[in-house]
Amino acid sequence: QVGVWLGILVVVGPVTGQIIHGVVTDHLFRRGLRDAYVHYLASIVAFAALPLAAAFVVPNPWLGFVLLGLGYGLFSAFGVLGPVALQMMLPSELRGKAASGLTLVTGLTGMALGPTVVAFLSEDLFGGPDHVGLALASYVAVALPLAALSYSFAMKPLAAAYPASPDDA
């Protein structure tokens, strides 16, 4: 039963979120915010830390599911807007290489770093596997704001790399 609900939330939240994120950032870009994609991404990833961290420690499983769905929906901006911003900053001959490099680095980092850090926090810092939820919440509460800070460093270069008016693009 948990698997079915979790599966639904993990699909519905990001699919809905990606559509909303794309519409919002395209609107912001058309209104003249040249760094809209990373500006929005930095904000939304930081904001996603709240429901995601809370989802792992709330005592009510239904509230946890709702928070996970909301958090995944917010965090799904990462999968859409990061590559868009990267493509906007690069000349056409580098876009394919950069996209594959981004996919490789984020995939390997996510698969290697995430589980390792959560296991370390759970076992060595919080006292064992009974504290996996606290370890996940702690990791999310630190990692997502750091990711948002990293994205914020791309705002100025993206704004400088793109024409002053979206009509000039």
Side-chain angles (χ1 to χ4, degrees), residues 1 20 41 54 123 132 162 166:
Q1 190 178 20
I20 292 169
L41 184 56
E123 293 291 328
V132 170
Y162 217 73

Side-chain angles (χ1 to χ4, degrees), residues 130-168:
D130 292 341
H131 302 286
V132 170
L134 183 58
L136 284 162
S138 300
Y139 182 62
V140 166
V142 172
L144 292 187
L146 286 175
L149 179 64
S150 297
Y151 288 128
S152 71
F153 292 133
M155 288 181 202
K156 190 173 181 179
L158 181 59
Y162 217 73
S165 166
D167 295 331
D168 296 339

Side-chain angles (χ1 to χ4, degrees), residues 5-107:
W5 281 104
L6 188 57
I8 290 169
L9 290 173
V10 170
V11 170
V12 172
V15 167
T16 305
Q18 288 179 353
I19 293 167
I20 292 169
H21 299 313
V23 168
V24 170
T25 52
D26 285 348
H27 173 75
L28 293 171
F29 184 75
R30 282 192 302 273
R31 297 208 32 137
L33 185 62
R34 293 181 294 154
D35 64 351
Y37 299 98
V38 288
H39 191 101
Y40 180 87
L41 184 56
S43 302
I44 209 75
V45 166
F47 187 65
L50 297 171
L52 283 175
F56 296 117
V57 293
V58 296
N60 183 316
W62 296 109
L63 178 58
F65 280 133
V66 170
L67 290 169
L68 274 175
L70 176 62
Y72 284 148
L74 293 170
F75 185 69
S76 68
F78 159 79
V80 177
L81 303 179
V84 169
L86 181 68
Q87 298 298 310
M88 290 176 65
M89 287 191 276
L90 296 171
S92 59
E93 64 272 6
L94 295 178
R95 290 179 183 162
K97 291 177 181 118
S100 63
L102 176 67
T103 302
L104 177 69
V105 170
T106 57

